[in-house]
Amino acid sequence: MKLHRVAAAVALLTLNPALMAQTPAPAAQPQKLEKVTITGSSIKRLAAQSALPIETMTRSEIEQLGLSNANELVELLAANVAGANNPVSTNTVFGADQDRLTGGAANANLRGLGPTGTLVLLNGRRVSTHGMSGGAVDLNAIPMDAIERVETLKDGASAIYGTDAIGGVINFITRSNYKGMALRASYSTPQASGGGQTFRASLTAGMGDLARDGFNLMASVTYDDNKILRGIDRPWATGYQPGNYLTPDSTSAAHANIIAAANTALTSAGTVVGANDTTRYTNLNLLAVQGKCEDLPYTVPMAPNITIWDKFGYTNANSRYRCTRDYGRMFMLRNPREATNALLKGSVNLGDGHTAALEVVASRTEVAGEYAPFQFSTTSNAVTHLQPSSPHYLNMRDLVGATQFDPTKPIAYRLNMQDWGFRLNTNRSDNLRVQATLDGQVFGFDYSVGVGMGKAEASTLLRNGYADTNKLVALLASGQYNPFLRAGQTQSASVTQAIEDMQVRGRVFGGETDVKQADATISGSLGNFLAGSLDFALGLNFRQESYSFSGSQNYTCVSSFTPANMALPNSVMGCPGNAASPKLTRDIGAVFGELLIRPTKALEVTLQVRHDEYQGIGGTTNPKIGLKFTPNDMLLLRASANTGFRAPTPQQVKLGQVELQLTGAFRDPVLCADVNAPKDPTQCNRAGLPYRQGGNPTLTPEESDQATAGIVFAPVRNAQFYADYWQVRLSERIRQLSVTNMIQNYDLFAGNFIRDPATGVVQYVQAGWVNAAESQTKGVDFGAQFDGEAAGGRVRTTIGGTKMISHKERLLKNAPLNEFVGKWSNTNLYLPWRLNASIGYRTGPWNTTLSMAYRDSYEDEDRTSYTAISPTKRMIEDYTTFNLVSTYSGIKGLTLTGSIINLFDKQPPFTWHNVDGVIGAGWDPRVADPRGRTFSVSMRYDFK
């Protein structure tokens, strides 16, 4: 569906309510207007007076859009850029360009400036960051059933909040003064078979009226259980679609590939196969020769790689007779997640306008990870070659006519460890937040004082698929293990037991973040000045942040079974090894102020400034100016300009170095610049390229300059339109350079490829965190809202979206600025258009909402660096889904809701990207929902 067709659909949604909006509504009863603190300001004021570009979603609106958790809400925001910060993309063994230690966390990504560039607050105050990453708040820790509304400030706010508030602020605000008890349960299931079901149960209770009884006590507890949805459950979720130029970049298979090695049955000189073929093949697989690779689960032919990945060194000689694994199909589409969130909040009216409150929020989230089985080559230790004496030895000379195959010598092979099962992890995250506040008035001024602490602990536990290195070598060396199983065959009982006995299970690493904070703010009027009240706010803030990461404990994670690796203590094959980060504690102190001046009745000028002192980093001062011009009741003009900053996280600074291995093949651009005439043929299709990454103590803060200018137009009482232009220039941007990205941009990063002085062979690639020059981002947020009466009910229609005009970025200071809008990347997808629209009809006990989400098309991954034969460019289709939610509340105390998510069963658009660098083969979890049409029912009973 192209954008103009979506626009037509939106017009149909909005036309009638726009006309209805001109119908006068019944006169409303006078209400007492209460001053509140708006996100992005420290001055209490009437909510209607805010000139900030804030998007507010109430509890009922969230429910009517079919949103069940904080991650779904944030992903729906048009200002949130699709990034690799969703639970599927972050739940990886080794990770990609993003933080490797997020363990199934979900993060916000306003403006595409990264999870650490969006500040997430709970009731206006900071929340502890994820226990392992130490960089951003895990949205799984937000107690959504206790949330009353969510305010999203789509502007920089470092002048009020300090670090992280470059892309914007998302403030989750809990219920207040709740009385009664509500029991709620919900269940959803996709229409298609397989997994993806969700269940939620929650109980919320409150007692006492703050004004009448002098206190209010509220408690809420929620339990979630989400089932796994696997790639095997959806026919489109496959990395083997050669007709669409998508195949796996992998060199292992469950039926092992016989590889060339010195002193083995197959040497680097290769062998002919059959009497009429003169090609010398350097890899052999019996199933591939027989055309039966696909007889085994997840196993496919490698032959299509010859033309699809030709620049990666796949040739007829090394690939025609090999099988490989469709590891894209092995990935999860939705994570299994089990979570419990609890909130306890007590408020006491102390009299004379003073209120004290204590809030405790706790959560435990367990997100399971399921990954493709590990792979290995026996060339790392010759004792693991399959000897001719083994009952499982394949004499390829006799079987397929491999003339130069020497059956008197052992077989070297590369195996995908499917007999050990999928690698399974449990990522556990515990969060605790205690916040005490005192609010009121003194001498005619509003004040707020807060003291709080937050703590997050996270750990990763190995559950399956990880082998004790020494036991693995012993089994392979015995010759009892059969690496050449065919369809219907299994390992012997003794081998199966040996595999189970070598499984390693237990905690592999963990981390902890702490934040202790105290703040005080006073605000009010200094009297009349020029055309109105001169309002001010002054505040102090102190917090102490700490982060520590254990690194791999109890086990030494290795990626090959060399004798040296075998000698390491508790050596384990294929586990996610990460280096330790010693505990880092730093103090941050800040002072800030705000002044609201009214030069004329129609003009307001807001001045803000904040100075922060970071231990070990230094000081930074960030001002902001905001303008609001209201010439009449129908028109509001607003603008702002400000600076911002983001300090590097402790993990980015202190995390130790670790060596990992590239999953796919590596073609050396120096030693194999020409695959037909390479300087070193062994470097044309190299498996397991080592790379190192970790913290960088030389990182400096990111700095931003940003501005907005907007208009709000309300021509009639029940209709409103808005548009805001915004731009952000970010310098010294912190990014983690992935080895995939560095290979694709070898000319920029040649110095990071550490080579053997004698041979020139790459020993390892130095990746990791760097200050990557700058980015420039600009766009327009827009929207409209209409309300009116029709057919005996109330109609409400909304539309909102973001037009991303440009996002340019350079990887290094000496690199050019490159445009990313509308182009695939392995981090963020800066889609040209993101649109949301809804139409709701409410009459009597019925409330029904039809909503739409449109995500624009974009260029697929550029395959120029992969192939000179196959196509290298294409467009990915746009993605448009509709949700239908209907609620009935005609029975006293009972509310029933039925939903159809993805009403028209829209399938994720195809991409020829193949997992490496960012999760998703044949589809992209950053844009699409893999469930398809999903039915949901929920029940809430309110006890009065």
Side-chain angles (χ1 to χ4, degrees):
M1 184 184 293
K2 297 301 181 183
L3 184 59
H4 67 275
R5 300 202 325 248
V6 173
V10 170
L12 290 174
L13 287 177
T14 59
L15 178 60
N16 289 337
L19 298 175
M20 297 170 194
Q22 301 177 42
T23 305
Q29 295 298 317
Q31 297 182 15
K32 180 181 177 181
L33 298 179
E34 181 181 355
K35 288 186 176 182
V36 296
T37 300
I38 302 296
T39 302
S41 175
S42 296
I43 298 175
K44 281 195 171 184
R45 65 185 83 187
L46 300 179
Q49 294 177 346
S50 174
L52 299 169
I54 294 176
E55 182 176 347
T56 301
M57 296 182 70
T58 65
R59 179 183 181 83
S60 61
E61 289 171 339
I62 293 169
E63 292 175 350
Q64 283 300 117
L65 291 173
L67 306 175
S68 61
N69 56 58
N71 182 51
E72 290 179 358
L73 184 151
V74 170
E75 285 186 341
L76 184 67
L77 296 173
N80 192 70
V81 169
N85 38 262
N86 59 79
V88 173
S89 295
T90 62
N91 208 350
T92 61
V93 177
F94 297 118
D97 195 83
Q98 294 291 329
D99 186 338
R100 290 183 296 114
L101 302 174
T102 50
N107 308 119
N109 188 22
L110 295 180
R111 305 303 189 206
L113 302 181
T116 53
T118 299
L119 180 61
V120 176
L121 304 175
L122 184 61
N123 292 326
R125 288 179 168 89
R126 289 179 177 263
V127 182
S128 184
T129 56
H130 187 263
M132 279 197 290
S133 74
V137 173
D138 181 6
L139 296 174
N140 289 317
I142 301 296
M144 281 302 293
D145 261 38
I147 298 300
E148 181 62 32
R149 69 182 187 278
V150 181
E151 295 179 351
T152 302
L153 172 62
K154 296 178 287 187
D155 191 10
S158 290
I160 288 293
Y161 299 112
T163 187
D164 305 340
I166 293 176
V169 180
I170 302 177
N171 189 9
F172 292 87
I173 301 169
T174 58
R175 293 179 173 186
S176 60
N177 211 32
Y178 175 76
K179 299 176 290 296
M181 184 168 67
L183 177 64
R184 180 179 177 181
S186 64
Y187 176 78
S188 74
T189 183
Q191 179 178 346
S193 61
Q197 295 81 13
T198 68
F199 170 75
R200 167 176 289 181
S202 67
L203 177 65
T204 302
M207 59 184 297
D209 183 277
L210 199 58
R212 186 184 65 244
D213 304 319
F215 78 96
N216 178 259
L217 182 64
M218 183 186 76
S220 176
V221 61
T222 303
Y223 171 76
D224 286 289
D225 185 10
N226 298 351
K227 301 302 183 184
I228 191 172
L229 179 65
R230 295 181 170 91
I232 198 71
D233 294 329
R234 295 292 183 267
W236 44 261
T238 170
Y240 185 72
Q241 302 182 52
N244 292 323
Y245 307 102
L246 170 62
T247 56
D249 173 28
S250 179
T251 56
S252 68
H255 181 103
N257 288 313
I258 299 173
I259 59 180
N263 301 313
T264 68
L266 183 64
T267 69
S268 59
T271 179
V272 299
V273 175
N276 301 317
D277 189 347
T278 60
T279 303
R280 290 291 191 102
Y281 294 98
T282 54
N283 292 274
L284 294 176
N285 186 296
L286 180 61
L287 296 185
V289 176
Q290 296 174 341
K292 296 182 178 181
C293 289
E294 294 178 87
D295 283 1
L296 296 179
Y298 305 107
T299 306
V300 295
M302 189 183 287
N305 289 23
I306 298 168
T307 56
I308 294 176
W309 297 88
D310 49 282
K311 285 188 176 181
F312 272 45
Y314 291 101
T315 65
N316 185 53
N318 66 30
S319 299
R320 180 180 176 183
Y321 290 138
R322 268 196 292 181
C323 297
T324 186
R325 54 179 180 142
D326 182 2
Y327 62 106
R329 194 154 185 74
M330 295 176 169
F331 275 83
M332 298 178 296
L333 306 184
R334 279 176 71 94
N335 302 70
R337 181 174 71 94
E338 189 171 6
T340 302
N341 285 273
L343 177 142
L344 178 64
K345 183 177 181 180
S347 303
V348 178
N349 187 342
L350 302 177
D352 297 326
H354 304 286
T355 303
L358 179 66
E359 181 181 83
V360 180
V361 179
S363 68
R364 165 166 284 192
T365 303
E366 289 192 349
V367 180
E370 185 171 287
Y371 323 103
F374 198 60
Q375 56 187 351
F376 65 78
S377 297
T378 61
T379 50
S380 63
N381 194 329
V383 302
T384 61
H385 294 333
L386 190 67
Q387 300 297 323
S389 58
S390 169
H392 310 301
Y393 190 90
L394 292 184
N395 185 342
M396 298 296 282
R397 177 184 292 179
D398 293 343
L399 290 171
V400 299
T403 305
Q404 286 75 33
F405 183 93
D406 187 348
T408 67
K409 294 181 179 180
I411 292 175
Y413 60 90
R414 185 161 176 80
L415 178 77
N416 185 238
M417 298 170 62
Q418 290 190 32
D419 286 317
W420 282 255
F422 280 47
R423 285 174 287 175
L424 305 180
N425 294 347
T426 294
N427 301 293
R428 179 178 297 161
S429 180
D430 294 324
N431 287 267
L432 175 66
R433 180 179 187 264
V434 180
Q435 182 69 46
T437 59
L438 181 64
D439 299 270
Q441 285 193 338
V442 58
F443 304 117
F445 297 108
D446 298 307
Y447 73 88
S448 179
V449 178
V451 178
M453 62 78 66
K455 183 176 183 179
E457 297 179 347
S459 60
T460 294
L461 294 85
L462 307 180
R463 291 171 46 212
N464 192 74
Y466 302 99
D468 179 291
T469 306
N470 287 276
K471 292 181 179 179
L472 173 62
V473 169
L475 174 64
L476 300 179
S478 73
Q480 297 304 305
Y481 176 77
N482 184 1
F484 303 116
L485 288 180
R486 307 191 65 172
Q489 295 180 336
T490 60
Q491 300 292 343
S492 67
S494 60
V495 168
T496 300
Q497 185 60 49
I499 291 174
E500 173 59 28
D501 291 343
M502 71 177 68
Q503 294 275 0
V504 176
R505 299 181 174 95
R507 186 180 189 272
V508 62
F509 52 66
E512 181 178 313
T513 62
D514 292 275
V515 60
K516 301 178 180 68
Q517 55 189 353
D519 60 81
T521 305
I522 187 166
S523 65
S525 174
L526 296 174
N528 290 328
F529 178 69
L530 298 178
S533 174
L534 179 63
D535 297 337
F536 83 100
L538 291 174
L540 300 170
N541 180 273
F542 173 81
R543 71 180 186 276
Q544 184 182 76
E545 299 174 341
S546 66
Y547 170 76
S548 62
F549 180 70
S550 70
S552 299
Q553 291 180 315
N554 307 318
Y555 312 114
T556 303
C557 297
V558 299
S559 52
S560 64
F561 38 58
T562 63
N565 284 344
M566 292 177 63
L568 295 172
N570 297 318
S571 178
V572 178
M573 282 284 288
C575 63
N578 292 286
S581 174
K583 186 169 184 177
L584 171 66
T585 298
R586 63 187 183 190
D587 296 334
I588 303 103
V591 57
F592 54 91
E594 183 175 358
L595 199 61
L596 177 59
I597 307 169
R598 297 175 174 88
T600 70
K601 292 292 185 182
L603 179 64
E604 290 185 0
V605 180
T606 301
L607 304 174
Q608 299 174 336
V609 66
R610 176 177 172 124
H611 179 79
D612 289 79
E613 281 288 337
Y614 266 76
Q615 181 182 0
I617 295 177
T620 177
T621 300
N622 293 279
K624 180 174 183 177
I625 180 171
L627 303 175
K628 170 188 171 184
F629 180 60
T630 313
N632 53 56
D633 293 340
M634 294 190 300
L635 184 65
L636 183 151
L637 304 176
R638 58 193 179 194
S640 69
N642 62 94
T643 65
F645 83 106
R646 184 185 77 78
T649 68
Q651 185 236 42
Q652 292 170 340
V653 174
K654 290 292 186 179
L655 188 67
Q657 293 285 314
V658 64
E659 184 168 299
L660 307 170
Q661 284 195 354
L662 185 68
T663 303
F666 168 67
R667 179 183 66 84
D668 193 315
V670 174
L671 300 180
C672 188
D674 183 353
V675 295
N676 296 313
K679 295 179 181 178
D680 183 347
T682 65
Q683 300 304 303
C684 289
N685 192 244
R686 179 178 173 182
L689 176 70
Y691 66 95
R692 298 176 184 177
Q693 60 186 37
N696 181 355
T698 67
L699 290 176
T700 59
E702 298 177 340
E703 298 179 351
S704 70
D705 297 294
Q706 46 208 113
T708 67
I711 181 173
V712 181
F713 180 54
V716 292
R717 176 179 160 189
N718 296 328
Q720 185 181 92
F721 306 83
Y722 75 88
D724 291 284
Y725 169 83
W726 52 269
Q727 63 180 34
V728 182
R729 180 182 178 275
L730 194 58
S731 59
E732 301 299 325
R733 187 169 184 183
I734 299 171
R735 282 196 60 178
Q736 187 183 27
L737 298 176
S738 72
V739 64
T740 301
N741 191 261
M742 298 172 78
I743 292 172
Q744 293 172 346
N745 297 274
Y746 177 80
D747 290 341
L748 286 177
F749 301 106
N752 292 64
F753 288 71
I754 311 304
R755 297 179 177 274
D756 185 304
T759 64
V761 172
V762 176
Q763 295 175 311
Y764 65 92
V765 181
Q766 182 61 58
W769 298 102
V770 297
N771 284 104
E774 66 174 295
S775 64
Q776 300 174 9
T777 314
K778 57 186 176 181
V780 175
D781 296 329
F782 58 89
Q785 178 179 309
F786 312 108
D787 292 274
E789 303 288 340
R794 188 78 179 171
V795 177
R796 175 182 175 87
T797 302
T798 64
I799 179 174
T802 294
K803 166 58 179 174
M804 187 72 71
I805 298 172
S806 175
H807 176 84
K808 295 181 178 179
E809 190 171 330
R810 65 173 102 239
L811 292 176
L812 292 174
K813 290 181 172 64
N814 61 345
L817 277 169
N818 293 318
E819 179 62 68
F820 283 86
V821 170
K823 299 180 179 180
W824 185 95
S825 81
N826 63 352
T827 52
N828 296 317
L829 295 178
Y830 298 92
L831 304 180
W833 294 90
R834 288 172 62 96
L835 298 175
N836 300 314
S838 69
I839 180 169
Y841 177 71
R842 183 163 195 159
T843 179
W846 289 97
N847 187 4
T848 302
T849 300
L850 175 66
S851 61
M852 180 202 75
Y854 170 82
R855 302 298 179 254
D856 204 4
S857 61
Y858 57 100
E859 293 180 18
D860 208 340
E861 182 178 15
D862 187 346
R863 301 192 70 253
T864 302
S865 61
Y866 303 154
T867 178
I869 301 173
S870 300
T872 58
K873 297 183 184 297
R874 67 177 294 273
M875 292 296 295
I876 296 175
E877 294 180 355
D878 58 80
Y879 183 65
T880 304
T881 57
F882 292 83
N883 295 346
L884 181 64
V885 179
S886 189
T887 299
Y888 177 75
S889 55
I891 302 173
K892 183 178 179 180
L894 182 65
T895 301
L896 300 173
T897 301
S899 307
I900 305 177
I901 308 302
N902 195 351
L903 181 63
F904 300 112
D905 200 21
K906 177 70 173 180
Q907 180 176 305
F910 170 77
T911 168
W912 59 22
H913 172 67
N914 181 57
V915 178
D916 296 326
V918 65
I919 298 304
W923 77 293
D924 199 322
R926 296 174 293 178
V927 173
D929 185 337
R931 291 176 296 174
R933 184 184 293 120
T934 299
F935 301 103
S936 175
V937 293
S938 70
M939 176 277 295
R940 187 183 76 239
Y941 190 82
D942 293 281
F943 300 87
K944 299 296 184 181

